[in-house]
Amino acid sequence: MPKLRNYHILISHSWDYNSDYETIKGWLDNATYFTWTNYSVPLSKPLDVNSKRELRDKLRNRISLCSCVIILSGMYVSYSEWIDYEIDTAIELGKPIIGIRPRGQERIPSKVSNNADIMVGWSSSSVVQAVRDYAL
């Protein structure tokens, strides 16, 4: 059997919606014939920083190492300075963006829909296939 590719992924998300992040993480962890390294910043492991500039630098470094960035496109994205920064940085660094429509949500923030390389529904198979198809 050929060696599996290891995808380097940052899941951009709001800490206020940590359960959605955990769901996506679980889908990736449990996907068949799929390995990944998590470059996200979960609520349980915040970055040790002393300033916004230091946080920007650390996020930029993580994104630079990624194969793709996954954006959970809840309407809270419209109000998140950090998700906005992660999208802009992914674009600047040429990293593919995979947008995920939250369960049953019809409206998607234009920041995500206008910049995602692909938008997928709320399902493990859609997310995993998008990573396989779009990750660098």
Side-chain angles (χ1 to χ4, degrees):
M1 183 161 116
K3 185 176 178 182
L4 292 178
R5 176 177 173 189
N6 182 22
Y7 297 98
H8 297 218
I9 302 171
L10 182 135
I11 304 170
S12 178
H13 64 286
S14 168
W15 283 359
D16 291 339
Y17 295 86
N18 194 57
S19 64
D20 289 346
Y21 161 77
E22 292 295 338
T23 297
I24 301 298
K25 182 183 171 298
W27 289 345
L28 298 174
D29 287 343
N30 296 315
T32 307
Y33 304 112
F34 187 90
T35 58
W36 74 297
T37 301
N38 189 352
Y39 285 84
S40 309
V41 183
L43 180 60
S44 60
K45 287 184 162 183
L47 294 175
D48 183 21
V49 297
N50 295 313
S51 67
K52 281 188 172 187
R53 179 167 183 79
E54 191 177 357
L55 179 55
R56 278 190 209 93
D57 291 346
K58 286 190 176 188
L59 285 171
R60 181 180 185 78
N61 183 56
R62 284 175 179 243
I63 293 169
S64 74
L65 300 171
C66 288
S67 312
C68 66
V69 174
I70 294 175
I71 308 289
L72 299 176
S73 60
M75 289 310 292
Y76 54 81
V77 169
S78 300
Y79 307 102
S80 172
E81 168 186 2
W82 296 110
I83 294 173
D84 225 28
Y85 176 77
E86 290 164 343
I87 291 170
D88 291 342
T89 302
I91 292 165
E92 182 183 332
L93 296 175
K95 303 297 179 173
I97 297 173
I98 298 168
I100 302 175
R101 287 183 210 91
R103 302 170 274 248
Q105 184 170 311
E106 293 181 24
R107 291 180 51 206
I108 302 298
S110 59
K111 179 75 174 195
V112 178
S113 60
N114 291 342
N115 293 295
D117 292 275
I118 186 171
M119 291 296 302
V120 298
W122 184 259
S123 77
S124 60
S125 59
S126 296
V127 173
V128 170
Q129 191 60 54
V131 171
R132 286 184 169 133
D133 291 345
Y134 286 86
L136 299 175

